[in-house]
């Protein structure tokens, strides 16, 4: 009956479009009677639906090597071609339609059929449940044929959903105000919510590496200069992400949180999972070992999903342009530029990446995988340019909540029990940019302090959000490099920005420069920086420098705590730990922080920023079901969060992740506290084959195929 109803609605849609569009005409032999025309429309709608079920997945698989965003744009033209073919298959006539009109007709028919099937499934919970189990059985049979490990069992599984950049206070307020009803429902049903504290480097690269791989050692910022290689490491550059993952695996001696029947979706790092989609650390690799883009095929193989996502992508681009123009006309401050590629990047993060990642998570749950970790970057990307609190970001939070609701609904019908954990990697602190407030960049200030020429016009620093790298990877474009990525030989300092954290390195000084060496070469630099109203403090060779000549040695108990008290509890310990990193910059600069307003000054073009100390950026959240054990009352650092997640995986009585140190290890512990020296050097040449084989190279070949359910509603499989 559902098939008949969807077919009938599609037929009526085709008739209506034939009456509205001048370039679309239905005919049936020599007769123009309404009955014969209706029969022709029914034939055409049926043929179009069958072609969508049979031909579309084959076409998408053939185009899998096409960049994902290009495939999204081709959706319209491919769908239009299927419509033209369907009309030719109608016996005794068919129709006439211009190619450009066929694109419109096919898109409208797919959208209407998708909406109709969703509405019918919502009204029939029994059918929804049967369809979910049918999809799950299909995927399990495919896994058994492929010999894939991790067949579903009775033990509970874990789904970790990372809401990138959503701070503890933001989530709590959004749930309380009704912006996130699904999240509020979880809390009302027994989920517990608590904050945790990041390291000094409060950004996704450090936090997610610590959460998934148990080590944040020697990750001082989002980007930093390494003197031993002469290159800049950037966490969202695929080659850098692969190297950071390799170092973490060497340090901990373990592949990661997801090594046993795990899936990693939309992350910077794999976590040791054998199922990958949109994982940046493997996206730079070529050949069969790189399956990070398999999630695109699994999602776009459903023409209804493809059309809906493409339409949503276009709508999101228009929404961003409208919001940007409105902010400019209102004279909204603070404000940053939102032109160029940003509307496309935002639409990719809030639509394409969200849809593909959530669909992959749903597929993992239907397949009964033991543990899934997924990163949803939509809020973080929008908050950088619109601010962490406001109408724009509230809309993104509401859409993320709908994705959470879908995951919860699927969990009710999955072949095993799932415990859903929500968490974030950092928060966001608002504030006017350093350039907007003071009219110069940190680089300009450093050059002035060194007596070097300063450009008359300040050059804006590109925002380094994670979504930009995912967008470029989807286009098969190489990661963009800052002009300082390969500094030219000379004495000019290398100045890099990570939110409100700045890093200054002197390439001509071997090793870490001492305070005496810096003052001898550039007598005015440190005083110029420390006394600038936009700078909170500096770290130079174990010494913290503050305004007005304030000085505190990190090895003197209590001195740094007093100087950094305004930045919150644990600030001195975070600075002290970073000071021990081999690749800490010669000068680390943290912007000023106003505790009354919670604002900082980003050295990048971001009015919602993270990366340093000060405000809500350092207080993400962890939200877990009551069935799991309580974490420590005061969680400090991503490594501690890793320890909690490993314990929860063990409590599920599923994959037994080793918790104790392996023989000969001296660096990291089971809880991820990494207090000693690394068992392997922090740097070194990448061995042949790229990232450590213990993580990727032993994976079974191929990502399981099949079709995932829609993201916004129940599963559709009428087109199969």
């Amino acid at each position: 009956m559902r098939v008949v109803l969807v077919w009938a609605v599609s037929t009526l849609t085709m008739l209506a479009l034939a009456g509205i569009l001048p370039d679309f005409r239905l005919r049936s032999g020599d007769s123009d009677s309404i009955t014969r025309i209706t029969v022709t429309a029914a034939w055409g709608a049926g043929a179009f639906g069958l072609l969508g079920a049979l031909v579309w997945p084959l076409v998408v698989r053939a185009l899998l090597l096409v960049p994902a965003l290009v495939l999204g744009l081709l959706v319209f033209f491919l769908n239009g071609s299927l419509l033209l073919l369907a009309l030719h298959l109608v016996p005794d006539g068919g129709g006439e339609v211009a190619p450009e009109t066929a694109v419109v007709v096919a898109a409208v028919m797919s959208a209407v059929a998708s909406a109709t099937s969703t509405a019918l499934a919502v009204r029939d919970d029994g059918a929804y449940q049967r369809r979910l189990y049918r999809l799950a059985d299909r995927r399990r049979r495919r896994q058994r044929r492929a010999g894939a490990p991790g067949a579903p069992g009775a033990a509970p599984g874990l789904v970790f959903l990372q809401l990138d950049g959503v701070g503890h206070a933001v989530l709590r307020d959004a749930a309380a105000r009704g912006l996130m009803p699904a999240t509020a429902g979880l809390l009302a049903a027994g989920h517990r919510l608590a904050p945790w504290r990041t390291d000094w480097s409060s950004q996704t690269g450090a936090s997610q590496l610590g959460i998934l791989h148990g080590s944040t050692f020697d990750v001082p910022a989002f980007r930093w200069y390494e003197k031993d290689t002469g290159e800049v490491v950037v966490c969202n550059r695929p080659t850098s992400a692969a190297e950071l993952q390799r170092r973490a695996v060497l340090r901990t001696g373990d592949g990661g949180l997801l090594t046993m029947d795990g899936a990693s979706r939309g992350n910077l790092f794999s976590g040791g999972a054998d199922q990958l989609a949109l994982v940046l650390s493997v996206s730079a690799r070529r050949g069969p070992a790189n399956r990070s883009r398999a999630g695109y095929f699994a999602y776009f193989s459903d023409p209804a999903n493809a059309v809906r996502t493409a339409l949503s992508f276009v709508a999101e681009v228009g929404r961003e342009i409208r919001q940007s123009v409105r902010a400019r006309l209102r004279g909204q401050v603070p404000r940053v530029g939102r032109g160029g590629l940003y509307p496309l990047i935002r639409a990719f993060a809030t639509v394409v990446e969200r849809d593909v990642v959530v669909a992959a998570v749903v597929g993992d749950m239907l397949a009964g995988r033991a543990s899934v970790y997924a990163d949803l970057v939509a809020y973080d990307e929008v908050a950088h340019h619109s601010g962490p609190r406001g109408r724009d970001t509230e809309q993104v939070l509401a859409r993320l909540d709908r994705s959470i609701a879908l995951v919860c609904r699927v969990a009710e019908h999955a072949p095993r029990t799932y415990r859903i954990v929500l968490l974030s990697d950092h928060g966001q602190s608002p504030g006017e940019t350093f350039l907007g407030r003071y009219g110069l960049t940190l680089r300009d200030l450093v050059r002035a302090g060194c007596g070097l020429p300063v450009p008359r016009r300040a050059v804006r620093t590109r925002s380094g959000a994670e979504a930009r790298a995912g967008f470029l990877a989807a286009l098969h474009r190489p990661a963009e490099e800052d002009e300082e990525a390969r500094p030219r030989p000379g004495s000019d300092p290398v100045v890099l920005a990570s939110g409100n954290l700045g890093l200054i390195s002197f390439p001509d000084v071997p090793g870490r420069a001492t305070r005496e060496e810096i003052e001898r070469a550039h007598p005015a630099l440190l005083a110029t920086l420390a006394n600038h109203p936009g700078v909170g403090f500096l770290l130079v060779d174990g010494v913290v420098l503050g305004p007005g000549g304030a000085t505190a040695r990190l090895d003197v108990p209590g001195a740094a705590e007093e100087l950094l008290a305004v930045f919150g509890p644990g600030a001195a310990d975070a600075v002290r730990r970073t000071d021990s990193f081999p690749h800490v910059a010669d000068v680390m600069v943290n912007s000023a922080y106003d505790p009354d307003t919670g604002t900082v000054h980003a050295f990048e073009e971001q009015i919602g920023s993270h990366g340093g100390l000060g405000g809500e950026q350092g207080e993400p959240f962890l939200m877990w079901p009551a069935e799991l054990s309580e974490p420590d009352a005061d969680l400090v650092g991503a490594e501690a969060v890793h320890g909690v997640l490993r314990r929860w995986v063990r409590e599920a009585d599923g994959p037994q992740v080793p918790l104790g140190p392996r023989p000969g290890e001296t660096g990291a512990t089971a809880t991820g506290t990494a207090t000693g020296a690394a068992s392997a050097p922090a740097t070194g040449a990448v061995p042949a084959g790229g990232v450590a084989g213990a993580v990727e190279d032993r994976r079974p070949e191929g990502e399981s195929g099949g079709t995932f359910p829609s993201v916004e509603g129940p599963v559709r499989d009428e087109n199969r």
Side-chain angles (χ1 to χ4, degrees), residues 7-38:
W7 190 357
V9 170
S10 298
T11 300
L12 292 175
T13 302
M14 181 173 282
L15 286 171
L17 292 173
I20 295 172
L21 300 175
D23 294 332
F24 180 32
R25 180 171 170 270
L26 293 174
R27 67 177 189 273
S28 181
D30 297 330
S31 174
D32 288 332
S33 68
I34 187 63
T35 302
R36 297 298 300 272
I37 295 298
T38 302

Side-chain angles (χ1 to χ4, degrees), residues 30-391:
D30 297 330
S31 174
D32 288 332
S33 68
I34 187 63
T35 302
R36 297 298 300 272
I37 295 298
T38 302
V39 171
T40 298
W43 271 106
F48 181 63
L50 287 174
L51 287 173
L54 302 176
V55 177
W56 182 270
L58 300 178
V59 172
V60 174
R61 182 176 290 276
L63 294 175
L64 185 58
L65 296 180
V66 174
L69 288 180
V70 176
L71 176 60
L73 296 176
L74 286 175
V75 161
F76 296 104
F77 303 102
L78 295 173
N79 232 12
S81 300
L82 291 181
L83 179 68
L84 289 172
L85 180 59
L87 292 177
H88 282 295
L89 294 177
V90 176
D92 298 327
E96 297 176 353
V97 59
E100 60 273 15
T101 305
V103 171
V104 177
V105 174
V108 173
M109 289 187 61
S110 294
V112 171
S114 174
T116 304
S117 61
T118 297
L120 292 173
V122 168
R123 295 175 59 85
D124 189 347
D125 289 339
Y128 178 41
Q129 181 174 348
R130 287 192 298 273
R131 192 149 51 248
L132 285 172
Y133 275 105
R134 192 159 60 246
L135 283 172
D137 289 340
R138 189 181 306 163
R139 292 178 63 84
R140 282 197 295 271
R141 289 195 299 270
R142 187 182 298 112
Q143 282 185 315
R144 285 195 294 268
R145 288 196 301 268
L158 282 166
V159 175
F160 303 104
L161 293 180
Q162 177 180 305
L163 306 185
D164 203 301
V166 179
H168 173 260
V170 169
L171 184 87
R172 182 192 58 206
D173 295 346
R177 293 169 52 203
L179 289 174
M180 304 181 72
T183 304
L186 290 175
L187 290 170
H191 268 64
R192 300 175 183 179
L193 176 66
W196 63 276
R197 198 162 69 239
T198 67
D199 297 313
W200 188 2
S201 182
S202 54
Q203 47 87 20
T204 303
S207 293
Q208 198 177 88
L209 188 66
I211 292 171
L212 289 177
H213 289 281
S215 174
T216 60
F217 182 77
D218 205 21
V219 185
F222 184 77
R223 53 171 65 84
W224 66 93
Y225 175 68
E226 297 193 342
K227 293 184 178 181
D228 47 359
T229 62
E231 295 184 357
V232 172
V233 175
V234 185
C235 289
N236 72 346
R237 187 177 296 154
T239 53
S240 296
E243 171 63 10
L244 292 176
Q245 180 173 308
R246 184 192 71 86
R247 295 178 187 181
V249 170
L250 287 176
R251 183 171 179 81
T252 62
D254 186 82
L257 180 71
L258 309 172
T259 51
M260 302 294 182
D261 191 27
S264 180
R265 310 299 188 184
N267 299 311
L268 293 181
F269 311 103
S270 74
D274 59 1
Q275 298 292 333
L276 305 173
L278 282 67
V279 175
L280 201 65
S281 64
V282 300
S283 65
R285 302 172 65 183
R286 296 292 179 261
N290 179 10
R291 295 182 297 279
S292 67
R293 295 178 61 255
Y296 286 121
F297 166 74
Y299 184 76
F300 286 114
S301 60
D302 184 339
N305 282 350
V307 171
R308 186 186 60 80
T309 296
L311 291 173
S312 299
F313 182 91
V314 174
E316 186 70 13
V317 171
R319 183 181 295 112
E320 161 54 28
I321 294 174
R322 184 178 68 252
Q323 292 173 348
S324 177
V325 171
R326 183 177 60 198
R328 187 175 297 276
L329 292 177
R330 291 179 176 178
Q332 179 179 314
V333 290
R335 189 177 70 246
V336 294
R338 292 159 63 170
L341 287 177
Y342 174 67
L344 300 178
I345 295 173
R346 167 175 166 167
F348 175 80
T350 58
V351 176
V352 179
E353 192 163 24
R354 179 204 62 192
D355 286 1
V356 174
V357 167
V358 172
V361 171
V362 169
D364 293 328
M365 297 170 70
L366 295 177
R369 295 200 174 96
S371 55
V372 184
Y373 194 103
D375 185 12
L376 301 174
V377 302
Y379 171 87
D380 186 66
E381 181 61 37
V382 176
H384 280 316
H385 295 79
S386 302
R389 295 176 186 266
R391 184 177 177 182

Side-chain angles (χ1 to χ4, degrees), residues 98 187 219 226 301 356 371 409 412 426 450 554 621 656 658 676 685 694:
L187 290 170
V219 185
E226 297 193 342
S301 60
V356 174
S371 55
R409 290 200 303 270
E412 297 174 358
H426 54 77
C450 293
L554 292 175
F621 73 91
Q656 298 301 303

Side-chain angles (χ1 to χ4, degrees), residues 529-555:
L529 292 172
N531 291 308
H532 191 279
V535 173
F537 68 90
L538 313 176
L539 170 64
V540 184
D541 192 25
V543 179
V544 178
L545 306 179
T551 303
R553 293 191 58 86
L554 292 175
D555 56 0

